[in-house]
Amino acid sequence: ETWNRSLNLWEEGVYSASDLPTNFTSAFFDLNEAEELKSSFLSARTSILNEGFAGFGDAWLTAVEGQQLEEAKQLAGVCASVRVQIKQELTLTRIGFEANLEIWNNGDHPLENVTVTLRASPFGNASLDATSLFVFGEPELTDITSI
């Protein structure tokens, strides 16, 4: 009913709530407001694509992960340093690489319950899990006192 009423009013040249008669009390879709929302949406979409994100979900996920990291830093402080090093060489049919994850504990307390999960995703689309497309070798653990 609201949709049909709005269509009839648009045909009469009534596009926004400010164009409605003062005694009009029924629900109405403001076409000018909808156009403004559409314009804002398209502008936001262009901005996130220009920033290298695959879409709104990817931008949102990246923002949430960044916020979680900042909150974790504030709560826990820095207790260890992490460095990831990827050595890559191109072959004819596949891209292979060797990666090292190094964790140094410079704190006064031992690191406990550390979990590392390898997850692959396409560049610019962190929300898409592509881990099953890769083969991971067994980890090589050095200088670890217990597992």
Side-chain angles (χ1 to χ4, degrees), residues 67-88:
Q67 181 63 33
Q68 288 174 335
L69 178 61
E70 289 304 314
E71 289 174 5
K73 285 180 185 177
Q74 290 174 2
L75 291 174
V78 176
C79 63
S81 300
V82 177
R83 179 175 71 180
V84 177
Q85 179 182 19
I86 298 177
K87 301 172 186 172
Q88 184 173 343

Side-chain angles (χ1 to χ4, degrees), residues 2 9 21 28-29 34 49 62 68 72 83-84 95 100 110:
T2 302
L9 288 167
F28 166 74
F29 291 116
L49 293 175
T62 301
Q68 288 174 335
R83 179 175 71 180
V84 177
I95 296 177
N100 297 314

Side-chain angles (χ1 to χ4, degrees), residues 37-111:
L37 290 172
K38 176 186 164 192
S39 178
S40 295
F41 169 83
L42 292 174
S43 177
R45 183 171 161 233
T46 299
S47 292
I48 65 165
L49 293 175
N50 288 341
E51 291 178 28
F53 296 105
F56 286 110
D58 187 33
W60 177 81
L61 182 61
T62 301
V64 168
E65 288 172 345
Q67 181 63 33
Q68 288 174 335
L69 178 61
E70 289 304 314
E71 289 174 5
K73 285 180 185 177
Q74 290 174 2
L75 291 174
V78 176
C79 63
S81 300
V82 177
R83 179 175 71 180
V84 177
Q85 179 182 19
I86 298 177
K87 301 172 186 172
Q88 184 173 343
E89 79 177 47
L90 181 65
T91 62
L92 291 176
T93 58
R94 297 176 182 241
I95 296 177
F97 62 89
E98 177 183 322
N100 297 314
L101 172 66
E102 299 174 2
I103 301 175
W104 293 279
N105 181 13
N106 296 327
D108 296 332
H109 304 286
L111 295 177

Side-chain angles (χ1 to χ4, degrees), residues 7-52:
L7 285 175
N8 291 335
L9 288 167
W10 296 340
E11 288 175 357
E12 295 173 15
V14 177
Y15 301 111
S16 71
S18 63
D19 298 332
L20 290 170
T22 54
N23 61 348
F24 190 84
T25 58
S26 298
F28 166 74
F29 291 116
D30 189 317
L31 192 59
N32 289 344
E33 186 178 320
E35 286 293 328
E36 289 174 17
L37 290 172
K38 176 186 164 192
S39 178
S40 295
F41 169 83
L42 292 174
S43 177
R45 183 171 161 233
T46 299
S47 292
I48 65 165
L49 293 175
N50 288 341
E51 291 178 28

